[in-house]
Amino acid sequence: MSKIKRLIMRNCLGIEEKTINPGNLNIISGGNETGKTTILESIEKALYNTDRRNQFVRAGADKAYIEIETDDGMKVERVVDSSGKSDVKVTVDGMPKRAPQTFLNELFGVTKERKDVFA
């Protein structure tokens, strides 16, 4: 099972810019409106392209950027524009994957019948 070794978020919901380098055990804590849910929703958006909110891009920005790098050589980069349109690139060991969203859906078991894996 791979682990996230780096998460970069720019203009995602309430976060202007944040880089997280998780360890083996991670606790996300803080007061209200400090970005805890944004971190989790950004991971979900990067991997599954879910639409939990009407507006994912931070107010005043044109686009949001999420990058996830795993310890097994996978890198996911997703750009979301202010209209909600999303573009994703996936590389494994530096090699780009064709049909990146299809690759991610197959990797995580997302099907038409099982669209919301967090339900």
Side-chain angles (χ1 to χ4, degrees):
M1 176 63 88
S2 61
K3 294 185 230 175
I4 295 174
K5 75 175 191 178
R6 184 173 62 164
L7 169 64
I8 298 171
M9 298 169 289
R10 290 190 195 108
N11 296 319
C12 300
L13 299 167
I15 293 178
E16 185 173 355
E17 187 164 347
K18 186 162 195 69
T19 299
I20 300 172
N21 297 296
N24 288 328
L25 175 66
N26 301 280
I27 298 171
I28 301 171
S29 66
N32 292 340
E33 305 289 320
T34 58
K36 300 178 301 290
T37 302
T38 298
I39 293 168
L40 298 174
E41 288 186 20
S42 293
I43 294 169
E44 179 185 36
K45 183 71 170 174
L47 300 177
Y48 301 98
N49 196 29
T50 54
D51 291 319
R52 286 198 182 269
R53 300 185 192 222
N54 291 335
Q55 187 65 31
F56 182 79
V57 178
R58 186 172 179 263
D62 295 331
K63 61 185 175 183
Y65 174 80
I66 313 155
E67 180 180 311
I68 294 177
E69 190 176 337
T70 64
D71 63 353
D72 63 355
M74 183 172 75
K75 184 176 184 180
V76 177
E77 297 174 273
R78 186 173 299 273
V79 176
V80 181
D81 70 20
S82 57
S83 72
K85 185 176 177 271
S86 169
D87 187 41
V88 66
K89 291 192 293 187
V90 177
T91 56
V92 177
D93 296 326
M95 299 296 296
K97 291 304 231 178
R98 289 183 152 201
Q101 190 61 57
T102 300
F103 170 79
L104 291 171
N105 289 349
E106 289 172 358
L107 182 64
F108 295 110
V110 177
T111 63
K112 289 179 186 175
E113 297 78 32
R114 186 174 169 222
K115 194 107 171 125
D116 189 353
V117 294
F118 295 108

